[in-house]
Amino acid sequence: MAQISLTFEDNKAASLVFGHYDQNLAHLERRLGVLANANGNCVVVRGAPEASEQARRVLEALYERGRSGAPITVGDVDGAIQESAFQGTLFPAAADEVEPEGGGGFEGIATRRRGLVKARNKAQDVYLRALKAHELVFAEGPAGTGKTWLAVGWAVSLLERGEVDKIIITRPAVEAGERLGFLPGDMREKVDPYLRPIYDALYDFMDARHVERALATGIIEIAPLAFMRGRTLTSAVVLLDEAQNTTTMQMKMFLTRLGEGSRMIVNGDPTQIDLPHGQASGLVEASRILREVEGVGRIRFAEGDVVRHDLVRRIVAAYDADARARGVVRGPEPTPKPGARRAEASPEKPA
């Protein structure tokens, strides 16, 4: 049994680390099997030596985040735990095999409203590195892995740094098993119901008044996929969400809109295709056809990469197991086996 005492000089940051009614410490206890008792700006950790040491590193990492004024949620605690394990402080031999380029920490993105947001697991880390390295990135995986949220954050960061002039958001207008009929309003109002997850992410990364102004001036453009034929999208981040519901021709049309200075992000879940039975998914086809094309990044999230909620992760795992048992999985490849590397980016080829 080991005991580690930590004292944080900044009381405000310490309170952020501990969480409301010490909820972050309670979560840390459950995840690492330690006891963490807070008293003022001090905390005492007790438990197995290795777990206590990891808890110390997690608390110190969270404290650095708290000093910047950024909020600290239970999800951030999970991210810090995964990052500390990944950095190899607990298992140095394993870390030597997966040490990322440029350092041992997870990759992050920074926006004016949220500050620095770091990846919460290895798959997200690989995803962010791919977004920074490639002009076109495919991200496939189940709901709740953060692929859309991080893509929007990356797009906002590029816009705020002046590296692109606008953000273009699109998705196929396909309902998930329900027929809603004709929707009222102008073009934006018709597609708004399909884009609520992306709007939620925009308001996470930008002030509401900036989002409204950007939408009004066209800096953030909502573009129905059907209306993109013939356009050349230059100096923009173009995000195609729910891409598993595109047809092969729609996907080809979309990908060929890429113009100078632009980046494209294509997200989707091949196991949730809402196209008519027998119709091929454009995402599945494009992922296969472009696998070896230079400049294209490809990331696959697995059920274990779900960060939305532990219960969501278990729900996704149960559905995937049932689908595999019945042989009805609609996707290009089977889910990776436990222990296998669950996400990868296409390596850069020499120029």
Side-chain angles (χ1 to χ4, degrees):
M1 180 72 71
Q3 175 174 311
I4 297 176
S5 299
L6 296 171
T7 301
F8 300 120
E9 295 181 357
D10 188 329
N11 290 336
K12 183 178 180 181
S15 67
L16 291 173
V17 172
F18 301 158
H20 194 51
Y21 294 113
D22 292 344
Q23 64 175 358
N24 290 343
L25 291 181
H27 190 68
L28 183 71
E29 289 179 331
R30 289 193 295 272
R31 288 292 310 275
L32 297 183
V34 299
L35 295 175
N37 296 315
N39 184 9
N41 62 340
C42 302
V43 59
V44 178
V45 178
R46 298 183 182 86
E50 293 174 341
S52 298
E53 176 63 18
Q54 187 179 13
R56 179 187 68 79
R57 294 181 179 277
V58 169
L59 290 169
E60 289 178 344
L62 293 174
Y63 177 66
E64 290 303 315
R65 176 181 173 85
R67 291 179 65 186
S68 68
I72 299 176
T73 66
V74 170
D76 294 318
V77 177
D78 284 330
I81 290 172
Q82 293 221 18
E83 185 176 28
S84 67
F86 178 68
Q87 286 173 323
T89 57
L90 190 57
F91 307 108
D96 291 341
E97 302 174 359
V98 293
E99 183 74 14
E101 297 178 3
F106 282 164
E107 190 59 77
I109 52 176
T111 63
R112 293 172 186 169
R113 185 172 190 274
R114 294 276 308 193
L116 178 64
V117 174
K118 300 187 75 173
R120 289 184 175 179
N121 53 40
K122 181 63 171 65
Q124 288 191 353
D125 177 64
V126 174
Y127 182 36
L128 290 180
R129 292 177 189 277
L131 290 176
K132 295 182 178 182
H134 301 285
E135 292 178 325
L136 171 60
V137 174
F138 288 88
E140 304 170 44
T145 52
K147 55 186 183 298
T148 297
W149 192 76
L150 288 174
V152 172
W154 171 240
V156 171
S157 70
L158 290 180
L159 182 67
E160 290 181 345
R161 296 204 302 263
E163 296 186 25
V164 296
D165 296 332
K166 65 191 308 182
I167 297 173
I168 300 174
I169 299 167
T170 187
R171 60 155 284 174
V174 177
E175 297 101 336
E178 296 181 79
R179 298 302 175 203
L180 304 179
F182 293 103
L183 296 175
D186 58 21
M187 185 170 63
R188 177 185 159 187
E189 290 170 333
K190 289 179 186 297
V191 298
D192 270 1
Y194 299 100
L195 295 168
R196 288 318 309 176
I198 294 178
Y199 280 118
D200 292 343
L202 280 172
Y203 285 105
D204 263 351
F205 286 104
M206 299 176 69
D207 290 334
R209 58 192 177 90
H210 291 157
V211 175
E212 295 302 326
R213 185 191 306 164
L215 287 169
T217 58
I219 293 177
I220 297 177
E221 179 184 353
I222 307 300
L225 185 59
F227 289 14
M228 298 190 75
R229 184 178 297 280
R231 297 184 62 181
T232 299
L233 308 177
T234 59
S235 191
V237 179
V238 191
L239 171 58
L240 171 60
D241 203 34
E242 302 292 345
Q244 76 277 5
N245 289 329
T246 60
T247 65
T248 301
M249 293 308 297
Q250 283 178 322
M251 179 61 78
K252 182 181 178 183
M253 179 272 293
F254 170 79
L255 295 176
T256 53
R257 302 304 99 201
L258 182 66
E260 188 175 353
S262 286
R263 290 169 176 264
M264 279 186 169
I265 308 167
V266 181
N267 290 341
D269 181 359
T271 67
Q272 296 194 42
I273 298 172
D274 299 311
L275 294 170
H277 186 70
Q279 188 164 13
S281 166
L283 174 63
V284 174
E285 291 288 298
S287 181
R288 177 183 59 81
I289 295 171
L290 303 180
R291 180 174 300 173
E292 303 298 331
V293 174
E294 183 180 356
V296 178
R298 180 171 176 265
I299 310 299
R300 296 192 70 240
F301 291 89
E303 63 197 34
D305 301 320
V306 173
V307 297
R308 183 173 293 162
H309 194 285
D310 282 343
L311 184 55
V312 173
R313 181 185 300 136
R314 293 194 289 272
I315 290 171
V316 171
Y319 269 88
D320 284 353
D322 179 72
R324 286 194 297 271
R326 293 186 294 115
V328 295
V329 175
R330 299 179 70 180
E333 297 175 7
T335 302
K337 296 179 180 178
R341 189 173 180 179
R342 295 172 304 201
E344 60 183 9
S346 299
E348 288 276 18
K349 294 183 178 179

